[in-house]
Amino acid sequence: MLIPPIERSSWLNQLPPGVPVRTAGVRQPEGVSAGDPRLIADASARLLAQAWATRLHPAFHRADLVDANTTRSAAYGALAARTSRVPFVAHLRDMVHADALGRVGFKTMRRVVLPRVDGVVTDTQATLDSALPYLRRDAVAAVIPSASGLRIREQSRPLPQGPLVVGMLARIDPWKGQALLVEAFARGLGETDARLQLAGHAYFGHEDHLAELKGRVVELGIADRVDFLGHVDDVESLLDTWHIAVQASTRAEPLGQNVLQYLAAGRVVIVADEGGPTEWVEHKVNGLRFSPRDSRQLAAALRELSGDEVLRSRLAAAAARTPGLLDDAEVASAHEAFYRQVCERRRG
């Protein structure tokens, strides 16, 4: 595994001792999608330097296959692999649209990355469909959920006792919908004893947005019933304390690993009715959908669930039985089969 210099995240520290990790290149800045011309110029220079460092690294030449696991690594990986015979694969976790990738990111993805890849992996069909117009005809494409620590339980755990707890598991980001959920919670459950918990850290320079959220819950008079939990390592234990788990992104989400985590945990799931989550959540069958960006409809869904314990129990049980949920071992097996297919087609 070859990565640019970054702070070692928890998932790197959890790798088995036998997995070698090499660091090469330059640190990549945050906040490029904001569109600051100076930041874009600096990031472009750093990206070219990273591509050069990646191409020259011995691990790149020894690899049977190179996998770019993020949008930015797909950019420098495609440049490094441009004249290489090593098969190159990209994971896509964002829609291939300008509103998801930014103007520069979208242009880079459709002109530099996707025409070069030998294979592409997406979490949902919606994401793959957005990439298909830019892929070569011989590129291998697969829809495989990313590993996210899902534990498929033989029996779903019952919903907890006590006051209703509503939660969202997502990084703090304006488009992830925490502000929308705060407004809906205040409108729908503001006069009850329900609690709202927001689990996630403010990455990519969004500390100001976190401060705005905290100020808004004070303005709405619900600060004593809203918890900002920050980053949470033990996601499974946290979800077991929630009754309702919400995905409320304000643009079409390619998937959102949180949706799969909600379902596997057997929570009552509410999702915005667009993008990848609609491939997993069927309205009134294993969760509820609401019109995207509509806080009033989200508030109505929260009120409906709050007043109907039978509905909550039924949806929670159905969530845990959602077809297609995979644990990490099954995800790894699916990726292995995909990688073999890419290598065989490249050799052919």
Side-chain angles (χ1 to χ4, degrees), residues 45 143 196:
V143 177
L196 173 61

Side-chain angles (χ1 to χ4, degrees), residues 257-321:
Q257 290 295 333
N258 55 357
V259 175
L260 300 187
Q261 291 169 315
Y262 298 162
L263 294 169
R267 300 304 87 180
V268 183
V269 182
I270 304 177
V271 300
D273 193 11
E274 65 179 352
T278 63
E279 296 177 27
W280 290 93
V281 177
E282 186 175 353
H283 187 62
K284 289 290 181 80
V285 175
N286 64 338
L288 298 182
R289 298 184 193 176
F290 72 98
S291 295
R293 297 164 290 281
D294 189 334
S295 65
R296 291 184 180 276
Q297 196 172 111
L298 177 54
L302 291 172
R303 279 196 302 270
E304 179 182 11
L305 289 169
S306 173
D308 193 336
E309 184 176 356
V310 173
L311 177 61
R312 293 201 304 268
S313 298
R314 180 174 65 78
L315 293 178
R321 297 194 301 268

Side-chain angles (χ1 to χ4, degrees), residues 4-344:
I6 56 172
E7 295 293 333
R8 275 183 173 265
S9 58
S10 58
W11 68 268
L12 283 175
N13 294 330
Q14 294 169 11
L15 288 172
V19 177
V21 177
R22 303 286 184 267
T23 300
V26 297
R27 183 181 297 276
Q28 300 296 310
E30 297 179 346
V32 178
S33 60
D36 186 312
R38 292 173 298 178
L39 191 58
I40 291 174
D42 177 58
S44 298
R46 289 171 178 266
L47 186 143
L48 290 172
Q50 182 64 49
W52 184 249
T54 300
R55 179 59 187 268
L56 294 179
H57 200 283
F60 184 90
H61 296 280
R62 291 195 301 266
D64 296 310
L65 179 143
V66 172
D67 186 329
N69 200 43
T70 66
T71 300
R72 192 173 299 184
S73 67
Y76 66 72
L79 293 172
R82 180 167 289 275
T83 58
S84 168
R85 295 185 178 182
V86 179
F88 177 60
V89 168
H91 271 72
L92 300 184
R93 296 185 176 83
D94 286 299
M95 297 287 191
V96 185
H97 297 151
D99 59 350
L101 299 173
R103 180 176 55 84
V104 175
F106 175 55
K107 184 179 294 186
T108 301
M109 184 61 68
R110 65 188 176 92
R111 294 186 179 179
V112 177
V113 177
L114 294 179
R116 171 60 186 85
V117 297
D118 299 291
V120 64
V121 180
T122 66
D123 285 335
T124 59
Q125 188 63 44
T127 307
L128 179 57
D129 289 343
S130 72
L132 285 176
Y134 313 110
L135 294 174
R136 301 196 317 262
R137 293 180 63 182
D138 62 341
V140 180
V143 177
I144 307 172
S146 298
S148 57
L150 294 190
R151 186 165 64 88
I152 312 303
R153 300 167 175 172
E154 293 182 3
Q155 285 186 317
S156 61
R157 296 186 183 179
L159 295 176
Q161 300 296 312
L164 197 71
V165 180
V166 178
M168 176 184 286
L169 177 68
R171 71 174 186 267
I172 302 297
D173 191 302
W175 78 272
K176 285 293 186 179
Q178 286 92 355
L180 185 75
L181 178 55
V182 164
E183 298 292 335
F185 180 84
R187 179 177 284 119
L189 302 176
E191 302 301 321
T192 71
D193 59 355
R195 297 199 67 81
L196 173 61
Q197 296 191 330
L198 302 177
H201 184 69
Y203 295 102
F204 310 125
H206 290 307
E207 292 82 3
D208 289 347
H209 182 59
L210 175 59
E212 291 171 3
L213 288 171
K214 291 181 176 179
R216 184 55 179 155
V217 300
V218 172
E219 293 173 359
L220 292 169
I222 56 173
D224 61 329
R225 293 190 290 112
V226 179
D227 303 315
F228 292 89
L229 304 179
H231 175 77
V232 174
D233 286 320
D234 189 355
V235 170
E236 186 176 23
S237 295
L238 174 65
L239 293 182
D240 281 343
T241 68
W242 291 358
H243 299 84
I244 301 170
V246 180
Q247 178 270 343
S249 298
T250 58
R251 67 174 188 239
E253 182 89 53
L255 171 62
Q257 290 295 333
N258 55 357
V259 175
L260 300 187
Q261 291 169 315
Y262 298 162
L263 294 169
R267 300 304 87 180
V268 183
V269 182
I270 304 177
V271 300
D273 193 11
E274 65 179 352
T278 63
E279 296 177 27
W280 290 93
V281 177
E282 186 175 353
H283 187 62
K284 289 290 181 80
V285 175
N286 64 338
L288 298 182
R289 298 184 193 176
F290 72 98
S291 295
R293 297 164 290 281
D294 189 334
S295 65
R296 291 184 180 276
Q297 196 172 111
L298 177 54
L302 291 172
R303 279 196 302 270
E304 179 182 11
L305 289 169
S306 173
D308 193 336
E309 184 176 356
V310 173
L311 177 61
R312 293 201 304 268
S313 298
R314 180 174 65 78
L315 293 178
R321 297 194 301 268
T322 300
L325 293 173
L326 304 177
D327 63 24
D328 286 358
E330 293 169 319
V331 169
S333 295
H335 278 87
E336 180 184 8
F338 167 76
Y339 293 145
R340 289 186 183 279
Q341 185 180 2
V342 171
C343 290
E344 289 168 1

